[in-house]
Amino acid sequence: LDILLTFKIGGESEIITGTDFADIPETVKPAIFEHALNLSMELANKGREGKPIGTIFVLGDEEKVMQLSKQMIMNPFKGYEEEERNLLNPSLKETIREFSALDGAFVVSGEGEVITAGRYLGAATDESEIPRGLGARHIAAAGITALTNAIAIVISESTGDVRIFRNGKVIMEIEKTTR
């Protein structure tokens, strides 16, 4: 995957750092990853009532992710047509904003189908790989990506920073700057 980032000097409100951004699984369509990242940035910046909303989007390898996790609440996406719950569907944006306030993760197929929300990611990981100061949400994302071929996008509720996990490690961090 090739990527082109364009910055308007003085117009960007984030600092982007990363190590291996080209490590997006082949099973995740680039448009799905890009849309999930943009949505995550919006949730981090606008959130609810001006505060960031903390959540996790797990993209790809959905069968294994579902095996290694469990549903904490009734699945709010069950029973809807695939087109209605596709991440690229503009009418789904507000629904995702509302459900992102729930504990647990969104599991999204590589094709963009939102399979579930409120999913507990119980996969364990070596916490020594996680930078100090990150919480349970980040440890869960590291754990699930260490055991699957998925990629996870995590929004920190406390800071609004967005981190991307792959193979149990942070591969990119988008830090909100204060103005």
Side-chain angles (χ1 to χ4, degrees), residues 32 66 75-93 95-96 106-109 111-117:
I32 300 303
M66 294 296 279
N75 182 358
F77 292 96
K78 187 175 183 173
Y80 289 92
E81 295 295 324
E82 194 172 321
E83 312 83 53
E84 291 180 280
R85 48 192 174 105
N86 191 293
L87 202 58
L88 299 176
N89 182 345
S91 64
L92 191 60
K93 187 176 187 177
T95 301
I96 288 180
F106 288 91
V107 178
V108 182
S109 76
E111 300 287 322
E113 175 189 350
V114 180
I115 297 167
T116 188

Side-chain angles (χ1 to χ4, degrees), residues 51-55 100-101 103 137-138 154-161:
K51 296 181 183 178
I53 298 175
T55 196
S100 64
D103 283 339
R137 190 173 280 127
H138 295 87
V154 181
I155 306 165
S156 173
E157 186 172 359
S158 59
T159 65
D161 295 348

Side-chain angles (χ1 to χ4, degrees), residues 20-49:
D20 191 7
F21 193 62
D23 198 17
I24 298 170
E26 290 180 13
T27 57
V28 177
K29 289 184 174 181
I32 300 303
F33 175 78
E34 180 182 357
H35 191 77
L37 182 58
N38 288 335
L39 183 58
S40 297
M41 295 298 301
E42 187 176 320
L43 291 172
N45 287 321
K46 294 180 184 174
R48 292 181 80 104
E49 300 173 5

